[in-house]
Amino acid sequence: MTRLQVRAFLYQLGCFAILFISVRFLAEKYTNLTGIWIPGTAFVVGTLLSPKFQAVKTKDGEKLFMRWILLKGFREIN
């Protein structure tokens, strides 16, 4: 794995972890969900809402791109 691929993986893992922990806390505190439903709900919401990062080889070298459901198109990360 190249440096940018590792960076993309760590960014994606960090964004998912932040969303998962936040949604799990909110679901536990403000809903009537119990048992496996709390982490299951947090997992689904975290997976759908977290941005996707990818390292791509282009003519100018390898670049890091991000795609998010809340933004239109792809964004280049410097």
Side-chain angles (χ1 to χ4, degrees):
M1 289 181 80
T2 65
R3 269 187 29 212
L4 280 180
Q5 287 175 332
V6 171
R7 239 170 87 189
F9 174 74
L10 291 176
Y11 283 164
Q12 196 157 332
L13 180 65
C15 290
F16 173 78
I18 289 169
L19 284 170
F20 178 82
I21 292 168
S22 301
V23 171
R24 184 181 168 123
F25 173 75
L26 292 172
E28 191 172 340
K29 188 152 181 88
Y30 296 111
T31 67
N32 292 327
L33 297 175
T34 59
I36 194 75
W37 292 105
I38 294 171
T41 302
F43 174 77
V44 170
V45 171
T47 302
L48 292 175
L49 289 182
S50 65
K52 310 301 183 247
F53 295 90
Q54 187 173 12
V56 177
K57 291 182 182 179
T58 63
K59 295 177 192 174
D60 302 328
E62 198 171 28
K63 294 186 178 186
L64 185 62
F65 290 95
M66 176 192 77
R67 182 169 186 224
W68 197 16
I69 194 170
L70 301 176
L71 296 176
K72 188 175 182 180
F74 296 95
R75 303 283 168 126
E76 182 180 345
I77 309 291
N78 289 334

